[in-house]
Amino acid sequence: MSRIDRGGDRPKQFAPRRTIEGVEEGLLLAPKFNAEGLVPVVTTGASSGEVLMMGVMNADALLQTIETGEAHYWSRSRQCLWHKGAKSGLVQKVMQIRVDDDQDAIWLRVEVAGIASCHVGYRSCFYRSIPVGPLGETPIILTLEETAKVFDPVAVYGHAPNPTQL
C-alpha cells in the first residue's frame, strides 16, 4: 500500500477546488492537474536562480517531494514515478516549493547533490539557446551555451536506456 493515503480520487492532503477565491487567495493546497493527471514543474537552483529543468508531477510525485524534501517527478518517457538522482546521485534537495496563483504550476528551488541536473551531462537541462530574429527558410540553429559537460553520462548511468523519446 502507498504511504499516501487517499480519500477518493484526490489525496486527502489536497483541498478541493471549490471557489476561485479559495484557490487564488486561500491557504490550502488545491493543485490543478491536467487531463493526464500532471502539473508542470520548473526547477531552479536555490542559490543561482538558474533554470535547471522542466518536468511534471502527478499527485504521488508532488506528495513524495513534500514528504521527503527531495524532488520526485513523473517520467513521461518511462511512465513511472522518478526520484531525481536516485541512480546518478544528483539528488535535488528541495529548499522551497512554490505554487502559482491558480495552483496549476509548481516551482521548486533546489540544491543539487553534485554538479549537474541534466542526464546528458550538462549542468542544466537548458544548455542551448534559440536565436531571436527574422526567420529564414531553413531549420533554426541552436547556440550551445554550456560548452563542456560536467560529467560523463555513461560513467554515471552506465548503459541504461536513454529516457529521451523521439
Side-chain angles (χ1 to χ4, degrees):
M1 182 170 156
S2 171
R3 292 186 297 163
I4 300 165
D5 187 18
R6 298 183 181 281
D9 290 335
R10 188 171 193 82
K12 69 177 185 176
Q13 296 88 345
F14 299 154
R17 297 174 61 88
R18 292 196 173 114
T19 67
I20 291 172
E21 182 180 24
V23 169
E24 293 181 345
E25 303 286 340
L27 297 179
L28 297 176
L29 180 59
K32 181 176 183 181
F33 297 93
N34 68 15
E36 291 79 38
L38 304 173
V39 63
V41 182
V42 174
T43 304
T44 63
S47 302
S48 68
E50 179 181 26
V51 176
L52 300 176
M53 62 176 280
M54 169 68 192
V56 295
M57 290 181 174
N58 63 6
D60 289 335
L62 180 53
L63 290 170
Q64 289 290 329
T65 298
I66 293 166
E67 184 176 34
T68 66
E70 294 181 352
H72 290 72
Y73 301 90
W74 176 257
S75 173
R76 290 175 287 189
S77 57
R78 299 178 195 102
Q79 290 291 295
C80 65
L81 192 65
W82 164 43
H83 178 197
K84 178 68 173 149
K87 289 184 182 178
S88 66
L90 303 172
V91 172
Q92 294 177 343
K93 180 176 171 43
V94 176
M95 306 310 294
Q96 185 178 57
I97 304 171
R98 293 192 184 190
V99 63
D100 75 334
D101 54 358
D102 57 353
Q103 299 197 42
D104 68 351
I106 303 292
W107 173 22
L108 296 182
R109 295 181 64 227
V110 304
E111 288 182 356
V112 180
I115 54 177
S117 283
C118 182
H119 77 277
V120 177
Y122 294 101
R123 188 171 31 88
S124 165
C125 290
F126 292 83
Y127 53 87
R128 296 171 290 185
S129 63
I130 301 169
V132 176
L135 297 174
E137 299 299 320
T138 58
I140 295 170
I141 298 174
L142 302 172
T143 301
L144 192 60
E145 299 295 339
E146 292 185 37
T147 57
K149 293 185 179 188
V150 295
F151 72 91
D152 176 6
V154 174
V156 171
Y157 295 107
H159 295 287
N162 188 321
T164 302
Q165 300 287 310
L166 298 181

